[in-house]
Amino acid sequence: MTAKTSIVIAREYLTRVRKKSFIIMTIIGPILFAAVIIGPAWFATLEDREVRVVAVIDSSKLFIGHLPETDYLRFEYLENTTVEELRENFDDTDYYAVLYIAHIIASTPSAVQLMSDRQPGMNIRMHIANALEKELERQKLAAYDIEDIDRILESVRTRVSIRTIIWQDDGGEKESFSELAMIVGYVGGFLIYFFIFLFGAQVMRGVIEEKSSRVVEIIVSSIRPFQLMLGKIVGIGLVGLTQFLLWVVLSFVLVVVSQQLFFPDIGTPSSETVVAEELFTSGTLQQSHPVADDSHDRFGEMFASISSINFGVMLLSFLFYFLGGYLLYASLFAAIGSAVDNETDTQQFMLPITIPLIISIIVMMNAIMNPYGPIAFWFSLIPFTSPIIMMARIPFGVPFWEVALSAGLLVATFIFTTWLAGKIYRTGILMYGKKVNYRELWKWIRYTG
Amino acid sequence: MELFSAREVSKSFVNHRALDNVSMSVPEKSIYGLLGPNGAGKTTLIRIINQITAPDTGEIRLNGRNLKPDDIYRIGYMPEERGLYKKMKVGEQALYFARLKGLDKKTAMKRLRHWFEKFEIQSWWNKKVEELSKGMQQKVQFIITILHEPELLIFDEPFSGFDPINTNLLKNEITGIRDRGATIIFSTHNMGSVEELCDHITLINNSKSVIEGPVNGIRDQFKLDIYRIGFEGDAQKLYDVLSPAYEVLELTGGRAGHHARIKVHSKSTENVLLKLLMPHFHITSFTEEIPSMNDIFIDLVQQKTKVNN
């Protein structure tokens, strides 16, 4: 009996992993992931290469020569021009934008305009606003004529960074990094959502294909319908696992390789970052010490936070919730496939399956913001949403009993749905040319024979 | 010896009765016709034999004992609607079905090679099914059906979609398989092939078995006692010679000779009729009209419908 199910599993698996679409997905997936990780940083470096010159017409005469320039942003102070003149000849100049500062700036901070023939970049706007604020602040402070003002300012400026510590039951402490946990939780939950939909739909299409091509009639004269259904679900589930593992490996390789290509200097930890990490882990920000260089600080944080996520646990729980969620939904997808004659008829039955999945995605947003709240708690127990919600919560650390309860409920439910789906499937696959509704399905479930 | 039998098999679905007390007995090494109009219940019976569904009541026996799950290895089934995976390669697919029927890979490969050579279709091995014509797909389906060398084979409309040459090829294979010891249940609407191939039949109509028995016996049973006679002589004399118990239905002919169709109303034998005619005519041919299965089929089905109406 099981030997035959494994023949079905082998066919379902092999025909799918040899398909061009599988191979293409396997290659494109990691490229997309890598692009999402590497892309924004890379584009940012690209954009900054262009040097932009902003013309400054300063009626207040407060800022001439005082706006800080960067490698890619220059200011040119014009004295004998008006905005109108500039506007007329704007196309002939190389200016990126025109900054107009009215003379009442000190009393009316909104009397500044940045004009251009296109939308000026946000970073430029922020840079200018920041520079103006600082300069005004400096000049106003200077007006009080305090001695040693620069040194005082330097010593009072303190940067605060909050470390979150979780007290463990065993008395130990664990440092948590909410941002990273959020990202990992989000990605994990979303991947499960994506895989359930992708491979659940494949199960459904497979069943419809067998039914409409009448292959099913031959197969069920050799094996029991339930074995066929189970073989298909397991076979396609294995395809999903293969795809996932290939993605993980390939994404990792791609990210490392492209990091080396685009950002060779940050790929390997330099001695500086090690120092920064020491500084970070020692946890003291001395007052006398000037604000630590931003980039060093971030590297330290990255190292510490990545090591705070237990990737073994993450991978294991991903595999469990992926399989549990997949088995639950795939059996329902199989039941739908068996009840219809072609894919266009699936709509009415798809809704009850899609809704809990979509609710999961919405609740997940809430759960990663508030992983211990009642919504996150309950939805991570309900089997129809728990694969996604619990996955999103796990990076934050979830009490063992909650995970165990949620896992137990999930297993019990997928056994139940598989049994239920088997009953619908058995009748459905041999039923042709009949418009099936829910009442009909209910009859099939109660039907014994 | 009886290989397969069904006894008083009934099966109901949610709102209709598909089989009502149907019995049949299939002798070993015979070709058994399962006849009936569309929707009569043939497919349900075949699915019961294949254990795809179970009967509500009644007994199904194979080799004298009740059907058990392992018997699916001893049964081969070719459904009317051919079913093959369109995107799967022919060879791979044949191997898959063979293994589902319990063959190990090595045996399956050996037999497949034999049949692919026999049908001269080795070049299809790596083709996808969707690249083949309908007739070609049927051949593949046939091989898949018989590969595990079952004792009982069920063919549902096996000749549909075949050209005459391939129909002949298939007929020869089917009789060949029977001669090698298998028993065949053959479901069809094609009465010509029933007369040609079948030893026994069952006719199912409206979920009930209407008639069962050997083909020759059934045709005898439906004889209308009409004789065709070829003769030479004065045709008009025919009416004088024959008593009122005989009715001349048709009289044709010319210089070369005459043909008459005569219906006998009383119980009579061929010899009595011949004795009446021989003194007056020179008889050139004499045959009894035996109704075709086609006529019997139409007759029975329409009779039933009339009764029901």
Side-chain angles (χ1 to χ4, degrees):
Chain A
M1 283 300 201
T2 43
K4 288 217 249 170
T5 313
S6 61
I7 296 172
V8 176
I9 292 172
R11 192 200 85 85
E12 296 295 337
Y13 181 80
L14 289 175
T15 52
R16 278 185 177 77
V17 295
R18 282 186 309 204
K19 266 190 193 161
K20 278 195 201 86
S21 55
F22 178 85
I23 294 163
I24 290 169
M25 273 285 277
T26 305
I27 295 166
I28 284 181
I31 291 176
L32 280 177
F33 288 145
V36 166
I37 295 169
I38 296 288
W42 188 64
F43 279 120
T45 62
L46 269 190
E47 212 168 309
D48 273 352
R49 299 254 154 79
E50 195 188 324
V51 177
R52 297 188 171 107
V53 182
V54 173
V56 182
I57 299 175
D58 182 6
S59 313
S60 67
K61 306 272 187 283
L62 289 173
F63 302 98
I64 293 171
H66 288 303
L67 295 176
E69 300 189 334
T70 69
D71 288 349
Y72 308 109
L73 183 63
R74 301 271 154 75
F75 295 101
E76 213 165 278
Y77 304 92
L78 306 174
E79 304 222 16
N80 300 317
T81 347
T82 62
V83 174
E84 285 71 30
E85 277 172 27
L86 261 177
R87 184 178 184 169
E88 270 168 41
N89 307 319
F90 191 72
D91 288 342
D92 303 331
T93 67
D94 286 334
Y95 295 132
Y96 175 75
V98 176
L99 177 67
Y100 174 73
I101 305 166
H103 65 279
I104 50 162
I105 173 77
S107 55
T108 315
S110 60
V112 182
Q113 290 175 342
L114 187 64
M115 292 158 282
S116 181
D117 56 354
R118 73 207 105 163
Q119 177 68 38
M122 195 171 78
N123 49 350
I124 291 179
R125 232 172 57 223
M126 302 229 319
H127 178 87
I128 291 172
N130 216 352
L132 292 175
E133 271 170 26
K134 277 208 176 130
E135 183 59 23
L136 272 179
E137 186 184 286
R138 194 189 63 77
Q139 293 193 13
K140 281 181 177 174
L141 278 170
Y144 288 101
D145 204 16
I146 303 165
E147 236 178 284
D148 262 351
I149 182 73
D150 289 344
R151 203 187 52 75
I152 295 169
L153 280 180
E154 187 69 42
S155 68
V156 296
R157 192 171 298 148
T158 319
R159 241 179 64 115
V160 176
S161 78
I162 296 176
R163 298 165 64 205
T164 43
I165 311 282
I166 294 170
W167 287 331
Q168 305 288 28
D169 288 342
D170 57 14
E173 286 183 357
K174 196 176 124 200
E175 194 148 8
S176 82
F177 298 86
S178 316
E179 286 85 356
L180 194 82
M182 271 167 75
I183 292 169
V184 172
Y186 182 83
V187 170
F190 192 81
L191 265 181
I192 287 188
Y193 168 82
F194 178 71
F195 272 100
I196 287 176
F197 250 119
L198 190 71
F199 294 101
Q202 279 200 30
V203 170
M204 187 178 77
R205 270 199 297 277
V207 173
I208 293 175
E209 183 205 352
E210 276 169 0
K211 190 181 170 184
S212 63
S213 69
R214 313 275 169 152
V215 179
V216 76
E217 185 116 16
I218 301 194
I219 300 178
V220 294
S221 68
S222 313
I223 64 174
R224 304 239 64 83
F226 189 72
Q227 291 176 301
L228 174 62
M229 186 183 91
L230 215 60
K232 183 172 285 291
I233 289 174
V234 173
I236 293 175
L238 290 176
V239 175
L241 276 185
T242 309
Q243 181 120 72
F244 171 71
L245 293 178
L246 283 174
W247 276 358
V248 169
V249 172
L250 284 177
S251 296
F252 182 75
V253 169
L254 258 176
V255 167
V256 169
V257 166
S258 47
Q259 237 175 31
Q260 295 293 337
L261 274 176
F262 294 115
F263 309 103
D265 42 339
I266 62 167
T268 47
S270 61
S271 55
E272 280 171 310
T273 61
V274 175
V275 172
E277 191 181 5
E278 272 167 20
L279 173 77
F280 181 83
T281 43
S282 70
T284 45
L285 270 174
Q286 291 121 336
Q287 235 185 359
S288 62
H289 198 291
V291 178
D293 187 343
D294 251 14
S295 66
H296 285 190
D297 212 14
R298 245 182 293 148
F299 277 124
E301 219 168 303
M302 226 160 79
F303 272 105
S305 58
I306 285 176
S307 61
S308 82
I309 297 270
N310 189 335
F311 280 97
V313 169
M314 282 300 295
L315 198 68
L316 275 181
S317 41
F318 180 86
L319 290 181
F320 176 81
Y321 280 102
F322 162 62
L323 282 180
Y326 166 78
L327 286 174
L328 195 164
Y329 279 101
S331 57
L332 296 177
F333 273 111
I336 294 178
S338 74
V340 298
D341 284 350
N342 54 60
E343 228 175 311
T344 48
D345 290 343
T346 58
Q347 296 301 334
Q348 56 160 334
F349 299 118
M350 284 293 283
L351 204 62
I353 292 192
T354 343
I355 285 174
L357 281 173
I358 289 170
I359 288 176
S360 300
I361 282 295
I362 296 165
V363 171
M364 183 174 83
M365 306 293 177
N366 177 295
I368 52 179
M369 295 294 172
N370 187 7
Y372 303 103
I375 292 180
F377 172 78
W378 286 109
F379 278 91
S380 63
L381 289 185
I382 298 170
F384 288 88
T385 53
S386 69
I388 294 167
I389 308 300
M390 190 53 103
M391 196 58 223
R393 284 183 64 198
I394 279 177
F396 297 93
V398 179
F400 176 76
W401 71 268
E402 282 184 36
V403 179
L405 180 60
S406 140
L409 283 174
L410 183 61
V411 170
T413 311
F414 81 63
I415 289 172
F416 173 73
T417 54
T418 309
W419 170 82
L420 196 74
K423 299 204 109 190
I424 294 174
Y425 181 86
R426 188 187 53 185
T427 310
I429 45 170
L430 295 170
M431 197 75 79
Y432 293 101
K434 195 170 188 176
K435 280 275 177 219
V436 174
N437 52 28
Y438 285 103
R439 235 178 69 196
E440 188 73 28
L441 289 188
W442 179 239
K443 274 186 203 158
W444 294 358
I445 290 169
R446 288 186 309 165
Y447 179 72
T448 49
Chain B
M1 248 293 281
E2 165 191 280
L3 179 92
F4 169 85
S5 72
R7 273 191 205 119
E8 290 165 4
V9 169
S10 294
K11 173 82 179 170
S12 294
F13 292 110
V14 178
N15 26 25
H16 85 285
R17 201 161 172 78
L19 288 175
D20 189 356
N21 263 326
V22 170
S23 297
M24 64 191 265
S25 168
V26 181
E28 202 179 21
K29 296 180 193 176
S30 69
I31 300 183
Y32 193 99
L34 183 59
L35 317 180
N38 294 324
K42 284 175 298 174
T43 306
T44 307
L45 183 57
I46 289 173
R47 281 182 181 167
I48 288 174
I49 301 172
N50 276 308
Q51 303 185 58
I52 294 172
T53 47
D56 297 338
T57 57
E59 261 188 355
I60 303 284
R61 296 169 82 84
L62 187 69
N63 271 331
R65 38 157 193 73
N66 282 335
L67 206 61
K68 56 183 197 321
D70 267 358
D71 285 335
I72 46 176
Y73 298 122
R74 314 162 76 137
I75 299 175
Y77 172 38
M78 182 157 128
E80 177 176 5
E81 301 270 1
R82 310 292 181 257
L84 293 169
Y85 288 105
K86 296 198 168 45
K87 305 257 177 220
M88 208 175 168
K89 284 177 182 161
V90 173
E92 224 177 303
Q93 181 148 213
L95 196 61
Y96 174 63
F97 287 119
R99 294 190 61 204
L100 283 184
K101 277 290 185 190
L103 288 184
D104 64 277
K105 208 168 173 175
K106 221 174 119 191
T107 321
M109 278 304 278
K110 213 176 92 193
R111 292 191 194 167
L112 279 173
R113 222 168 281 138
H114 164 80
W115 280 100
F116 273 60
E117 263 166 44
K118 188 162 185 176
F119 282 0
E120 296 175 347
I121 57 171
Q122 297 100 314
S123 61
W124 299 357
W125 187 270
N126 273 321
K127 276 192 180 158
K128 282 187 183 166
V129 169
E130 60 188 356
E131 296 169 49
L132 304 183
S133 73
K134 201 175 170 210
M136 290 159 130
Q137 292 182 22
Q138 308 270 69
K139 276 192 189 172
V140 176
Q141 191 99 58
F142 178 78
I143 294 175
I144 287 170
T145 311
I146 58 164
L147 201 70
H148 59 294
E149 295 177 356
E151 290 164 54
L152 179 65
L153 273 154
I154 302 165
F155 292 107
D156 199 350
E157 292 293 353
F159 304 122
S160 74
F162 271 120
D163 60 49
I165 293 168
N166 281 318
T167 303
N168 240 359
L169 180 84
L170 199 60
K171 272 182 191 161
N172 289 338
E173 285 309 327
I174 290 177
T175 45
I177 290 166
R178 192 260 322 265
D179 295 342
R180 283 195 292 276
T183 307
I184 291 153
I185 294 177
F186 179 33
S187 164
T188 185
H189 296 130
N190 182 341
M191 294 302 143
S193 59
V194 171
E195 277 164 24
E196 195 179 338
L197 291 173
C198 294
D199 311 308
H200 293 73
I201 63 140
T202 277
L203 174 66
I204 296 179
N205 190 27
N206 279 329
S207 327
K208 288 193 179 70
S209 170
V210 178
I211 196 162
E212 200 213 342
V215 171
N216 292 336
I218 289 173
R219 292 179 69 183
D220 274 349
Q221 196 184 323
F222 280 79
K223 282 191 305 204
L224 294 167
D225 297 323
I226 293 172
Y227 298 91
R228 279 173 182 277
I229 299 152
F231 62 93
E232 285 165 8
D234 182 0
Q236 288 311 312
K237 249 172 120 180
L238 195 61
Y239 294 100
D240 308 330
V241 171
L242 292 176
S243 66
Y246 299 94
E247 185 190 343
V248 179
L249 299 174
E250 210 180 321
L251 183 60
T252 55
R255 209 167 288 170
H258 307 280
H259 286 277
R261 283 178 75 229
I262 296 170
K263 181 162 172 65
V264 185
H265 286 295
S266 65
K267 272 286 157 215
S268 165
T269 65
E270 293 87 340
N271 283 3
V272 177
L273 177 60
L274 277 173
K275 261 183 201 155
L276 280 171
L277 297 176
M278 269 192 324
H280 308 280
F281 308 104
H282 170 59
I283 310 284
T284 53
S285 65
F286 184 90
T287 47
E288 182 175 11
E289 249 182 38
I290 298 191
S292 67
M293 280 310 296
N294 204 39
D295 295 335
I296 296 172
F297 181 92
I298 292 170
D299 205 40
L300 279 171
V301 170
Q302 281 179 345
Q303 216 174 33
K304 272 282 163 202
T305 337
K306 257 182 231 156
V307 170
N308 285 353
N309 290 345

